[in-house]
Amino acid sequence: MSKLIKLRKQIDQIDNHLLELLNQRAVLASQIGRTKLKAGLKSFAPERESKILERLARKNKGPLKPKIVNAVFNEIISGSRSMEKPLQIGYLGPAASFTHQASLEKFGSSADYIACDNIADIFAEVEKEHADYGVVPIENSIEGAVSYTLDMFVNSTLLICSEIYLEISHNLISRYPMPKIKKVFSNPQVFGQCKSWLRSNLPQAELITVSSTTRAAQEARRHQNSAAIASLLAAREYRLNVIHQAIEDSPHNVTRFLVIGKQSPPLSDRDKTSIMFSIKDKVGALHDVLVVFKKNKINLTKI
Protein backbone atom coordinates (compact mmCIF):
# COMPACT_ATOMS: atom_id res chain seq x y z
CA MET A 1 0.00 0.00 0.00
CA SER A 2 2.86 2.39 0.71
CA LYS A 3 4.05 2.02 -2.90
CA LEU A 4 0.52 2.69 -4.20
CA ILE A 5 0.24 5.84 -2.08
CA LYS A 6 3.62 7.03 -3.33
CA LEU A 7 2.68 6.47 -6.98
CA ARG A 8 -0.61 8.29 -6.51
CA LYS A 9 1.20 11.27 -4.96
CA GLN A 10 3.48 11.39 -8.00
CA ILE A 11 0.43 11.41 -10.29
CA ASP A 12 -1.14 14.21 -8.22
CA GLN A 13 2.04 16.28 -8.60
CA ILE A 14 2.08 15.71 -12.36
CA ASP A 15 -1.64 16.60 -12.59
CA ASN A 16 -1.02 19.85 -10.70
CA HIS A 17 1.84 20.71 -13.06
CA LEU A 18 -0.29 19.84 -16.13
CA LEU A 19 -3.09 22.08 -14.86
CA GLU A 20 -0.69 24.98 -14.42
CA LEU A 21 0.73 24.49 -17.92
CA LEU A 22 -2.73 24.16 -19.47
CA ASN A 23 -3.79 27.48 -17.96
CA GLN A 24 -0.59 29.11 -19.21
CA ARG A 25 -1.39 27.75 -22.67
CA ALA A 26 -4.96 29.07 -22.39
CA VAL A 27 -3.69 32.59 -21.60
CA LEU A 28 -1.50 32.55 -24.71
CA ALA A 29 -4.35 31.13 -26.81
CA SER A 30 -6.62 33.91 -25.56
CA GLN A 31 -4.04 36.53 -26.61
CA ILE A 32 -3.84 34.92 -30.05
CA GLY A 33 -7.65 34.98 -30.26
CA ARG A 34 -7.79 38.72 -29.54
CA THR A 35 -5.05 39.38 -32.09
CA LYS A 36 -6.99 37.40 -34.71
CA LEU A 37 -10.16 39.30 -33.89
CA LYS A 38 -8.45 42.66 -34.45
CA ALA A 39 -7.04 41.40 -37.76
CA GLY A 40 -10.46 40.13 -38.87
CA LEU A 41 -9.33 36.49 -38.86
CA LYS A 42 -11.44 33.47 -37.90
CA SER A 43 -10.67 31.65 -34.64
CA PHE A 44 -10.72 28.28 -36.43
CA ALA A 45 -7.36 27.74 -38.17
CA PRO A 46 -7.39 24.17 -39.54
CA GLU A 47 -3.92 24.42 -41.10
CA ARG A 48 -2.38 25.47 -37.77
CA GLU A 49 -4.32 22.88 -35.75
CA SER A 50 -3.30 20.10 -38.14
CA LYS A 51 0.34 21.06 -37.81
CA ILE A 52 0.10 21.03 -34.00
CA LEU A 53 -1.42 17.55 -33.96
CA GLU A 54 1.03 16.21 -36.55
CA ARG A 55 4.01 17.60 -34.63
CA LEU A 56 2.80 16.04 -31.38
CA ALA A 57 2.21 12.71 -33.13
CA ARG A 58 5.84 12.73 -34.33
CA LYS A 59 7.15 13.58 -30.85
CA ASN A 60 5.02 11.00 -29.06
CA LYS A 61 7.18 8.11 -27.85
CA GLY A 62 4.41 6.29 -25.95
CA PRO A 63 3.07 4.44 -24.16
CA LEU A 64 0.01 6.57 -25.01
CA LYS A 65 -1.35 5.62 -28.43
CA PRO A 66 -1.41 8.35 -31.13
CA LYS A 67 -5.22 8.30 -31.23
CA ILE A 68 -5.41 9.08 -27.50
CA VAL A 69 -2.86 11.90 -27.75
CA ASN A 70 -4.79 13.35 -30.70
CA ALA A 71 -8.10 13.21 -28.78
CA VAL A 72 -6.61 14.86 -25.66
CA PHE A 73 -5.00 17.75 -27.55
CA ASN A 74 -8.05 18.18 -29.77
CA GLU A 75 -10.07 18.88 -26.61
CA ILE A 76 -7.38 21.25 -25.32
CA ILE A 77 -7.48 23.17 -28.62
CA SER A 78 -11.30 23.15 -28.55
CA GLY A 79 -11.35 24.58 -25.03
CA SER A 80 -8.81 27.28 -25.89
CA ARG A 81 -10.72 28.21 -29.05
CA SER A 82 -13.97 28.61 -27.10
CA MET A 83 -12.53 31.14 -24.62
CA GLU A 84 -13.35 34.01 -26.97
CA LYS A 85 -16.59 32.60 -28.37
CA PRO A 86 -17.69 28.97 -28.81
CA LEU A 87 -18.01 28.02 -32.47
CA GLN A 88 -21.47 27.20 -33.80
CA ILE A 89 -21.29 24.02 -35.89
CA GLY A 90 -24.12 22.76 -38.10
CA TYR A 91 -24.26 19.03 -38.72
CA LEU A 92 -26.58 16.39 -40.15
CA GLY A 93 -28.68 15.35 -37.16
CA PRO A 94 -30.12 14.08 -34.94
CA ALA A 95 -27.55 13.93 -32.16
CA ALA A 96 -25.18 10.93 -32.22
CA SER A 97 -25.22 10.60 -36.03
CA PHE A 98 -21.95 9.83 -37.78
CA THR A 99 -21.80 13.46 -38.95
CA HIS A 100 -22.17 14.54 -35.32
CA GLN A 101 -19.37 12.16 -34.38
CA ALA A 102 -17.11 13.58 -37.11
CA SER A 103 -17.93 17.12 -35.93
CA LEU A 104 -16.94 16.26 -32.36
CA GLU A 105 -13.64 14.77 -33.55
CA LYS A 106 -12.84 17.99 -35.41
CA PHE A 107 -14.18 20.72 -33.13
CA GLY A 108 -14.26 19.02 -29.70
CA SER A 109 -16.87 19.24 -26.97
CA SER A 110 -16.44 22.99 -26.35
CA ALA A 111 -18.21 23.96 -29.58
CA ASP A 112 -21.98 24.47 -29.78
CA TYR A 113 -23.69 22.06 -32.18
CA ILE A 114 -26.78 22.66 -34.30
CA ALA A 115 -28.58 19.53 -35.52
CA CYS A 116 -29.97 20.00 -39.05
CA ASP A 117 -32.58 17.83 -40.74
CA ASN A 118 -30.79 17.63 -44.10
CA ILE A 119 -27.67 18.73 -45.97
CA ALA A 120 -29.43 21.74 -47.54
CA ASP A 121 -30.23 23.05 -44.05
CA ILE A 122 -26.55 22.82 -43.06
CA PHE A 123 -25.58 25.00 -46.04
CA ALA A 124 -28.40 27.43 -45.19
CA GLU A 125 -27.35 27.74 -41.53
CA VAL A 126 -23.79 28.67 -42.54
CA GLU A 127 -24.88 31.00 -45.35
CA LYS A 128 -27.21 32.86 -42.95
CA GLU A 129 -24.40 32.96 -40.36
CA HIS A 130 -26.47 31.06 -37.80
CA ALA A 131 -23.53 28.64 -37.78
CA ASP A 132 -19.84 29.42 -38.20
CA TYR A 133 -19.17 26.15 -40.01
CA GLY A 134 -21.01 23.12 -41.26
CA VAL A 135 -19.97 19.48 -41.49
CA VAL A 136 -21.32 17.46 -44.44
CA PRO A 137 -20.56 13.95 -45.73
CA ILE A 138 -18.92 13.87 -49.16
CA GLU A 139 -17.94 10.25 -49.85
CA ASN A 140 -17.81 6.76 -48.37
CA SER A 141 -15.17 4.15 -49.20
CA ILE A 142 -17.90 1.58 -49.93
CA GLU A 143 -20.92 3.58 -51.12
CA GLY A 144 -19.02 6.25 -53.06
CA ALA A 145 -19.78 9.96 -53.43
CA VAL A 146 -22.63 11.71 -51.64
CA SER A 147 -24.23 13.29 -54.71
CA TYR A 148 -26.54 15.63 -52.80
CA THR A 149 -23.59 17.34 -51.09
CA LEU A 150 -21.89 17.82 -54.45
CA ASP A 151 -25.09 19.27 -55.93
CA MET A 152 -25.33 21.83 -53.11
CA PHE A 153 -22.02 23.41 -54.13
CA VAL A 154 -23.44 24.32 -57.58
CA ASN A 155 -25.51 27.23 -56.24
CA SER A 156 -23.62 27.93 -53.00
CA THR A 157 -20.83 30.43 -52.38
CA LEU A 158 -19.55 28.45 -49.39
CA LEU A 159 -15.99 27.15 -49.40
CA ILE A 160 -14.33 23.96 -48.22
CA CYS A 161 -12.25 24.76 -45.14
CA SER A 162 -11.09 21.34 -43.98
CA GLU A 163 -11.85 17.62 -44.17
CA ILE A 164 -12.44 14.83 -41.67
CA TYR A 165 -11.90 11.10 -42.15
CA LEU A 166 -14.04 8.95 -39.87
CA GLU A 167 -13.75 5.19 -39.58
CA ILE A 168 -17.29 3.89 -39.61
CA SER A 169 -18.16 0.97 -37.35
CA HIS A 170 -21.67 -0.43 -37.15
CA ASN A 171 -23.01 -1.98 -33.95
CA LEU A 172 -26.13 -3.87 -33.00
CA ILE A 173 -27.70 -1.99 -30.08
CA SER A 174 -30.88 -2.80 -28.18
CA ARG A 175 -32.70 -3.02 -24.85
CA TYR A 176 -33.17 -6.75 -25.47
CA PRO A 177 -30.86 -9.77 -25.70
CA MET A 178 -30.20 -11.27 -29.13
CA PRO A 179 -32.77 -14.15 -28.99
CA LYS A 180 -35.63 -11.67 -28.37
CA ILE A 181 -34.83 -9.33 -31.28
CA LYS A 182 -37.51 -9.48 -33.98
CA LYS A 183 -37.02 -6.10 -35.70
CA VAL A 184 -33.86 -4.23 -36.70
CA PHE A 185 -33.91 -0.53 -37.64
CA SER A 186 -31.28 1.24 -39.74
CA ASN A 187 -30.85 3.00 -43.07
CA PRO A 188 -30.55 1.11 -46.39
CA GLN A 189 -26.82 1.79 -46.83
CA VAL A 190 -26.04 0.32 -43.42
CA PHE A 191 -28.13 -2.77 -44.07
CA GLY A 192 -26.12 -3.25 -47.26
CA GLN A 193 -22.85 -2.92 -45.37
CA CYS A 194 -23.94 -5.51 -42.74
CA LYS A 195 -25.78 -7.90 -45.07
CA SER A 196 -23.70 -11.04 -44.42
CA TRP A 197 -23.69 -10.60 -40.63
CA LEU A 198 -27.45 -10.13 -40.52
CA ARG A 199 -28.03 -13.16 -42.73
CA SER A 200 -25.89 -15.32 -40.43
CA ASN A 201 -27.02 -13.99 -37.04
CA LEU A 202 -30.55 -12.58 -37.43
CA PRO A 203 -32.00 -14.31 -40.50
CA GLN A 204 -35.61 -14.12 -39.23
CA ALA A 205 -35.53 -10.48 -38.09
CA GLU A 206 -37.55 -7.87 -39.98
CA LEU A 207 -35.29 -5.13 -41.40
CA ILE A 208 -36.99 -1.74 -41.21
CA THR A 209 -35.41 1.21 -43.06
CA VAL A 210 -35.31 4.69 -41.52
CA SER A 211 -33.61 7.94 -42.52
CA SER A 212 -30.51 7.62 -40.32
CA THR A 213 -28.74 5.40 -37.80
CA THR A 214 -29.65 7.87 -35.07
CA ARG A 215 -33.32 7.63 -36.01
CA ALA A 216 -32.85 3.85 -35.87
CA ALA A 217 -31.61 4.10 -32.28
CA GLN A 218 -34.63 6.23 -31.37
CA GLU A 219 -37.00 3.65 -32.90
CA ALA A 220 -35.24 0.77 -31.14
CA ARG A 221 -35.68 2.62 -27.87
CA ARG A 222 -39.44 2.96 -28.46
CA HIS A 223 -40.35 -0.49 -29.83
CA GLN A 224 -40.41 -3.84 -28.07
CA ASN A 225 -38.09 -6.64 -29.17
CA SER A 226 -36.29 -4.21 -31.47
CA ALA A 227 -32.69 -3.32 -32.18
CA ALA A 228 -30.81 -0.77 -34.26
CA ILE A 229 -27.60 -0.78 -36.21
CA ALA A 230 -25.85 2.43 -35.21
CA SER A 231 -22.76 3.96 -33.60
CA LEU A 232 -21.50 3.50 -30.05
CA LEU A 233 -22.23 7.20 -29.53
CA ALA A 234 -25.89 6.54 -30.40
CA ALA A 235 -25.96 3.66 -27.90
CA ARG A 236 -24.77 6.02 -25.14
CA GLU A 237 -27.05 8.86 -26.23
CA TYR A 238 -30.21 6.73 -26.24
CA ARG A 239 -29.28 4.38 -23.36
CA LEU A 240 -29.17 1.17 -25.37
CA ASN A 241 -26.98 -1.86 -24.72
CA VAL A 242 -24.30 -2.84 -27.23
CA ILE A 243 -25.21 -6.41 -28.22
CA HIS A 244 -22.50 -6.85 -30.89
CA GLN A 245 -19.74 -4.48 -32.02
CA ALA A 246 -18.28 -4.03 -35.51
CA ILE A 247 -20.83 -6.06 -37.45
CA GLU A 248 -19.98 -4.47 -40.82
CA ASP A 249 -18.94 -6.98 -43.52
CA SER A 250 -15.94 -4.88 -44.62
CA PRO A 251 -13.47 -3.70 -41.93
CA HIS A 252 -12.27 -0.84 -44.18
CA ASN A 253 -15.24 1.49 -44.04
CA VAL A 254 -14.30 5.19 -44.00
CA THR A 255 -16.43 8.26 -44.64
CA ARG A 256 -14.91 11.60 -45.61
CA PHE A 257 -16.61 14.77 -44.39
CA LEU A 258 -16.07 18.37 -45.44
CA VAL A 259 -16.04 21.41 -43.18
CA ILE A 260 -17.76 24.26 -45.04
CA GLY A 261 -17.57 27.97 -44.24
CA LYS A 262 -17.50 31.45 -45.73
CA GLN A 263 -13.74 31.90 -45.69
CA SER A 264 -11.03 29.72 -47.13
CA PRO A 265 -8.18 28.96 -44.70
CA PRO A 266 -4.62 30.15 -45.44
CA LEU A 267 -2.47 27.98 -47.67
CA SER A 268 -0.46 25.20 -46.09
CA ASP A 269 2.08 22.81 -47.56
CA ARG A 270 -0.50 20.00 -47.88
CA ASP A 271 -3.55 21.50 -49.56
CA LYS A 272 -6.26 19.97 -51.70
CA THR A 273 -8.24 22.02 -54.22
CA SER A 274 -11.73 21.11 -55.39
CA ILE A 275 -12.96 22.51 -58.71
CA MET A 276 -16.53 22.34 -60.02
CA PHE A 277 -17.23 23.02 -63.69
CA SER A 278 -19.51 21.96 -66.55
CA ILE A 279 -18.56 21.00 -70.10
CA LYS A 280 -20.34 20.84 -73.44
CA ASP A 281 -21.80 17.51 -74.52
CA LYS A 282 -19.39 16.59 -77.29
CA VAL A 283 -16.86 13.87 -78.08
CA GLY A 284 -13.59 14.33 -76.19
CA ALA A 285 -14.85 17.16 -73.93
CA LEU A 286 -13.68 15.53 -70.70
CA HIS A 287 -10.37 14.52 -72.31
CA ASP A 288 -9.70 18.13 -73.33
CA VAL A 289 -10.23 19.28 -69.73
CA LEU A 290 -8.03 16.57 -68.22
CA VAL A 291 -5.16 17.36 -70.60
CA VAL A 292 -4.79 20.72 -68.84
CA PHE A 293 -4.07 18.96 -65.55
CA LYS A 294 -1.57 16.59 -67.21
CA LYS A 295 0.32 19.43 -68.91
CA ASN A 296 0.66 21.25 -65.58
CA LYS A 297 1.61 18.03 -63.71
CA ILE A 298 -1.32 18.29 -61.33
CA ASN A 299 -2.36 14.99 -59.73
CA LEU A 300 -6.08 14.31 -59.36
CA THR A 301 -7.28 12.34 -56.34
CA LYS A 302 -10.91 12.04 -57.47
CA ILE A 303 -13.16 12.92 -60.40
Side-chain angles (χ1 to χ4, degrees):
M1 285 298 292
S2 60
K3 184 178 180 181
L4 181 62
I5 292 170
K6 185 178 179 181
L7 290 171
R8 284 176 172 171
K9 283 184 177 179
Q10 289 177 351
I11 285 179
D12 289 343
Q13 289 173 354
I14 292 171
D15 287 345
N16 291 338
H17 189 45
L18 282 173
L19 181 60
E20 185 180 346
L21 291 174
L22 285 172
N23 279 310
Q24 289 179 19
R25 188 189 190 284
V27 170
L28 293 172
S30 182
Q31 292 174 1
I32 289 172
R34 288 194 292 271
T35 303
K36 281 183 177 180
L37 189 64
K38 288 179 181 178
L41 300 174
K42 293 282 187 179
S43 61
F44 176 53
E47 76 292 344
R48 168 63 179 161
E49 292 179 10
S50 294
K51 285 181 178 178
I52 291 172
L53 296 174
E54 287 169 5
R55 179 179 60 81
L56 292 169
R58 289 193 301 269
K59 289 183 70 67
N60 179 34
K61 296 179 181 179
L64 283 178
K65 294 180 180 178
K67 190 173 183 179
I68 295 173
V69 173
N70 188 87
V72 169
F73 276 91
N74 191 51
E75 281 299 323
I76 292 171
I77 292 169
S78 174
S80 298
R81 197 197 299 124
S82 70
M83 290 181 66
E84 292 298 316
K85 174 186 171 292
L87 290 178
Q88 306 285 320
I89 309 299
Y91 71 92
L92 186 59
S97 66
F98 286 116
T99 313
H100 187 200
Q101 194 171 325
S103 303
L104 286 166
E105 286 204 10
K106 189 68 176 178
F107 292 99
S109 60
S110 295
D112 292 335
Y113 292 96
I114 304 168
C116 300
D117 292 332
N118 51 59
I119 291 171
D121 285 349
I122 300 172
F123 274 78
E125 288 293 296
V126 180
E127 286 168 349
K128 294 175 183 176
E129 298 187 355
H130 296 161
D132 298 294
Y133 298 96
V135 176
V136 292
I138 188 65
E139 64 177 330
N140 177 264
S141 57
I142 296 174
E143 297 295 323
V146 181
S147 300
Y148 194 78
T149 299
L150 292 172
D151 293 342
M152 287 301 303
F153 280 107
V154 174
N155 297 313
S156 175
T157 59
L158 296 182
L159 303 170
I160 298 170
C161 303
S162 186
E163 64 180 358
I164 310 159
Y165 285 89
L166 182 69
E167 291 186 9
I168 303 296
S169 180
H170 299 306
N171 309 275
L172 186 74
I173 61 177
S174 178
R175 292 187 293 146
Y176 302 91
M178 185 87 126
K180 291 190 175 182
I181 294 173
K182 296 179 181 179
K183 296 179 181 179
V184 180
F185 293 90
S186 202
N187 69 36
Q189 291 81 9
V190 172
F191 282 139
Q193 293 169 22
C194 304
K195 183 166 52 180
S196 296
W197 190 93
L198 288 167
R199 191 187 302 121
S200 299
N201 295 274
L202 288 169
Q204 303 303 321
E206 180 185 1
L207 306 184
I208 303 174
T209 60
V210 290
S211 59
S212 69
T213 54
T214 304
R215 192 70 65 199
Q218 293 172 338
E219 294 298 320
R221 182 75 192 168
R222 282 199 290 264
H223 292 80
Q224 286 188 337
N225 301 323
S226 296
I229 302 177
S231 67
L232 296 177
L233 183 62
R236 291 196 297 271
E237 180 78 17
Y238 299 103
R239 303 189 306 281
L240 295 167
N241 299 321
V242 179
I243 310 302
H244 276 281
Q245 286 188 252
I247 66 172
E248 62 272 9
D249 298 332
S250 172
H252 307 294
N253 188 1
V254 177
T255 297
R256 183 164 72 103
F257 298 85
L258 299 179
V259 177
I260 55 174
K262 287 200 165 185
Q263 290 185 345
S264 183
L267 295 175
S268 70
D269 55 356
R270 292 199 310 128
D271 293 311
K272 288 181 182 177
T273 299
S274 295
I275 303 173
M276 181 171 282
F277 57 87
S278 60
I279 53 179
K280 291 182 179 180
D281 183 13
K282 65 177 185 178
V283 175
L286 181 59
H287 169 271
D288 293 342
V289 170
L290 295 179
V291 164
V292 176
F293 293 99
K294 184 178 187 299
K295 285 182 177 178
N296 288 278
K297 298 180 179 179
I298 298 171
N299 188 35
L300 301 180
T301 60
K302 187 175 179 64
I303 298 177

